[in-house]
């Protein structure tokens, strides 16, 4: 009988990509995907360590899985993967001895051996090394799931912002060679993918072996990807302001397939806090990068990541962040309360900000952002946008897709257009989405 695998993903898009790849690795062993743990023979929790809450969720989920496993007299393989696994390693097996496999983000190509080892009586596997051979050399071809796909091109981080665990959980920066990326992109397009999002913890720091020799930067890679017939949209996420070089900025002016929407994390608008965070740039530098990007692509819209309540953040520092948000006009953000992470330099800094202060600042920031998102969405009404219809809508005949700016757009009478990019005239604004009508049938870029 076929076996079933359930993967639960926490955290960032890199984890979403990794989860899909873990399923690819296990497919040859006969594992088909299950939609809930109750139907599965194996469960993988692909975990995130970025904030305390994210890490805690894993242990409560493990509590539920322990009950399920006991009900089945142990006939359930439980694996903990991802960044909590990397950070906590053997501690997970100590706290949750019913777990069979603990594996880090760099070793999941070895999952088949780990499963075999775990199947032997009492076998428990811990594999959180950073192998010298990159896992990408050992993974099977990616399987496309729909018309938009993620493609991991860069992993790890050497920047060591003082609040962040990623350099410890994902290891040193690694860039996949261009040829491997272009091959994977062509295979995805061959399976019907029209939009590819390049992924990396510092994706614009990608500097891989070029397909024609030498080293390429991300701007060159984007241009090469744009030459692939059938690939209509390219995105990349997430970027560091210091790695935004001239060539990549000019790609925004020259490559129509590169979407005019960019995630460029800034974390804070205060120079003092940026310095304490070890971001290695100041506010003026960030604004300069934004100006250059907007000069290259005037309709470019930006989103960012922000942290409130970093140690030592005063009201004035926080107001600098609010001011920067207004000045750039971000149309969206991922904003978080600072969460102290064991082993990071900021965890030991004086003047930790009290929780109620963080709560109030986050609420104020999110209210401003809600306003800015709403304003941008309002301005979209009456415009015609290229929408990639990639999901069923809420009603029969309706499809939902994404605009170039990642806004969800609902389109009625469109059921025969799944997977296509269509011109949509935006007619309505809902609370978190737009609605409109298809106005032309040709496939277009942006
Ligand atoms: N490489 C990217 C972001 C990776 S982590 C960058 O340089 O910005 C994703 C986001 O999580 C970060 O942008 C940050 O806003 C948030 N984050 C990371 N560590 C955090 C912490 N200790 N507390 C709160 N938010 C954190
Ligand atoms: Fe974390 Fe900073 Fe690296 Fe981003 S650049 S992953 S925030 S250490
Ligand atoms: Fe979380 Fe690891 Fe991503 S800590 S945000 S899953 S890189």
């Amino acid at each position: 009988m076929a076996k079933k695998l359930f993967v639960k993903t926490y955290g960032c898009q890199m984890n979403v990509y990794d989860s899909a790849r873990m399923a690819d690795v296990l497919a040859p062993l006969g594992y088909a995907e299950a939609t809930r743990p109750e139907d599965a023979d194996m469960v993988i929790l692909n975990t995130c360590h970025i904030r305390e809450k994210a890490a805690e969720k894993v242990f409560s989920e493990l509590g539920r899985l322990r009950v399920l496993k006991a009900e089945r007299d142990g006939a359930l393989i439980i694996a903990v993967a991802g960044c909590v696994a990397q950070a906590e390693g053997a501690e997970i097996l100590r706290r949750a001895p019913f777990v069979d496999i603990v594996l880090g983000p760099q070793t999941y190509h070895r999952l088949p051996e780990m499963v075999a080892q775990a199947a032997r009586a009492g076998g428990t596997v811990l594999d959180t090394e950073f192998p010298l051979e990159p896992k990408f050399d050992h993974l099977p071809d990616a399987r496309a799931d729909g018309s938009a796909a993620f493609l991991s091109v860069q992993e790890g981080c050497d920047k060591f912002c003082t609040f962040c665990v990623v350099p410890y959980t994902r290891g040193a920066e690694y860039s996949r060679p261009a040829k491997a990326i272009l091959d994977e992109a062509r295979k995805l397009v061959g399976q019907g993918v029209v939009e590819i999002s390049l992924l990396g913890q510092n994706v614009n720091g990608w500097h891989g072996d070029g397909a024609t020799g030498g080293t390429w930067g991300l701007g060159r890679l984007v241009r090469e990807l744009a030459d692939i017939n059938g690939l209509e949209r390219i995105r990349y996420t997430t970027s560091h302001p210091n790695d935004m070089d001239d060539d990549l900025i000019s790609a925004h002016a020259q490559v129509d397939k590169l979407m005019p929407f960019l995630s460029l994390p800034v974390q804070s608008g205060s120079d003092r806090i940026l310095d304490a965070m070890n971001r290695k740039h100041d506010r003026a530098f960030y604004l300069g990068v934004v100006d250059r990007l907007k000069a290259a692509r005037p309709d470019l819209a930006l989103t960012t990541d922000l942290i409130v309540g970093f140690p030592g953040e005063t009201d004035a520092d926080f107001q600098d962040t609010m001011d920067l948000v207004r000045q750039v006009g971000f149309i969206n953000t991922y904003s978080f309360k600072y969460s102290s992470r064991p082993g990071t330099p900021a965890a030991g800094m004086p003047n930790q900000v009290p929780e109620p202060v963080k709560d109030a600042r986050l609420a104020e920031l999110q209210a401003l952002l809600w306003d800015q998102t709403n304003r941008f969405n309002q301005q979209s009404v009456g415009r015609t946008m290229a929408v990639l219809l990639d999901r069923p809508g809420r009603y029969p005949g309706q499809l939902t897709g994404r605009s170039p700016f990642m806004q969800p757009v609902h389109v009625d009478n469109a059921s025969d257009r799944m997977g296509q990019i269509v011109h949509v005239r935006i007619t309505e604004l809902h609370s978190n989405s737009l609605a409109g009508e298809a106005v032309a049938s040709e496939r277009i870029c942006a």
Side-chain angles (χ1 to χ4, degrees), residues 169-180:
T169 62
R170 291 276 170 168
E173 282 187 17
Y174 168 75
S175 295
R176 290 176 73 188
K179 184 177 177 314

Side-chain angles (χ1 to χ4, degrees), residues 26 44 51 75 96 111 127 157 166 195 204 207 234 253 256 270 301 309 330 352 359 361 365 374 423 445:
L26 289 172
I44 301 177
R51 283 171 292 278
L111 260 171
D127 192 347
C157 182
V166 171
E195 173 178 306
N204 58 342
H207 53 280
I234 302 168
D256 284 341
S270 152
F330 295 113
Q352 298 282 327
D359 285 331
R361 287 181 188 164
L365 178 62
N374 228 11
H423 268 139
C445 298

Side-chain angles (χ1 to χ4, degrees), residues 322-333:
M322 293 287 283
D323 182 70
L324 183 83
V325 167
R326 287 189 203 98
Q327 198 173 334
V328 179
F330 295 113
I331 65 160
N332 219 325
T333 62

Side-chain angles (χ1 to χ4, degrees), residues 157-161 163-167 201-202 240 267 279:
C157 182
D158 298 336
K159 295 208 161 50
F160 292 93
C161 299
F163 52 81
C164 184
V165 295
V166 171
Q201 262 97 27
N202 286 293
H240 194 288
Q267 314 299 354
R279 290 291 290 181

Side-chain angles (χ1 to χ4, degrees), residues 216-227:
W216 293 358
L218 195 68
R220 175 73 188 270
L221 183 66
V222 163
R223 289 183 173 85
E224 299 282 335
L225 284 163
D227 285 341

